[in-house]
Amino acid sequence: MTDQRPGKWAIVQHWAAEPFGYEVFAPHLDAGNPCCFACGWHSERWAEGRSPRKAWERATLERAHIVPAGLGGSNAANNIILLCGPCHRDAPDWHDPWEMAVWISRRAERASKELEHVDTWLRAAEAVPLFKQALGEVVARGGSAEQTVEVMRRHTRRAVVHSGELSQGTMEAILRATARELLP
Ligand SMILES: [Zn+2]
């Protein structure tokens, strides 16, 4: 079966030209900077040196039906919005588009991909006191931060990445393995 949904850029152009629909179904939309229509999640890197069209096509956003195809929803741009993975998963699959509008209006904003990532690493570091201890030891021995990062990289390459992001649990495991290797 071929995918009959329009491309991401065509979807963006549709909503950017629809003042009413834009407010209801794409409150975060800015045609020049790709982001999830519902929560505003984006990556600082998507737009870097790219035309808006290329940036949107590159963005890891999913094309989501407002009314699902299985409930009679069409594949036209006015029935498709661009959502991040978690929003696509949590959004309603319902015959009445109003449910989607209400759901979007209540959806909390998410930070950018990069900021969320830093946040998760910081939480992981909080959960692994051994890592802080190891960092302290490295500094005390006159070692550099690059050495620590190199060890972290090596352990990160051995980890499995689900849905494009390391989970906090995986980060904790990486930090623990790094700490064990760095501590005498
Ligand atoms: Zn989202």
Side-chain angles (χ1 to χ4, degrees):
M1 222 173 85
T2 55
D3 187 345
Q4 292 171 328
R5 292 170 300 177
K8 291 176 186 171
W9 182 237
I11 294 165
V12 169
Q13 285 184 305
H14 165 79
W15 291 107
E18 252 322 309
F20 173 70
Y22 181 116
E23 272 173 44
V24 175
F25 292 106
H28 297 282
L29 181 61
D30 165 359
N33 289 296
C35 73
C36 171
F37 284 16
C39 74
W41 182 77
H42 63 281
S43 167
E44 316 288 351
R45 292 185 196 156
W46 289 343
E48 262 173 14
R50 290 181 187 90
S51 66
R53 182 198 183 113
K54 286 223 169 75
W56 278 97
E57 296 296 347
R58 180 193 153 85
T60 44
L61 296 167
E62 302 169 8
R63 290 172 297 169
H65 286 95
I66 294 173
V67 174
L71 295 175
S74 85
N75 284 319
N78 65 5
N79 188 45
I80 312 262
I81 52 179
L82 297 173
L83 298 179
C84 67
C87 282
H88 199 179
R89 217 167 41 237
D90 294 348
D93 291 311
W94 196 247
H95 61 83
D96 183 349
W98 187 244
E99 283 296 335
M100 180 68 89
V102 170
W103 181 82
I104 288 173
S105 74
R106 294 189 179 146
R107 188 71 171 170
E109 253 184 81
R110 265 175 91 186
S112 74
K113 196 173 169 182
E114 287 73 17
L115 287 180
E116 268 187 343
H117 204 61
V118 169
D119 201 47
T120 315
W121 275 110
L122 287 176
R123 280 200 304 272
E126 281 306 314
V128 184
L130 197 65
F131 180 70
K132 284 190 181 170
Q133 189 193 329
L135 270 188
E137 298 263 353
V138 167
V139 173
R141 278 185 272 149
S144 69
E146 285 80 55
Q147 275 177 282
T148 309
V149 171
E150 198 38 61
V151 176
M152 281 175 68
R153 277 213 188 95
R154 188 149 36 75
H155 288 294
T156 303
R157 281 196 288 270
R158 295 163 57 196
V160 174
V161 177
H162 287 288
S163 62
E165 284 154 48
L166 289 171
S167 68
Q168 191 189 323
T170 307
M171 289 180 182
E172 288 174 21
I174 290 167
L175 294 178
R176 211 168 286 116
T178 302
R180 280 201 208 98
E181 189 171 327
L182 292 172
L183 286 170

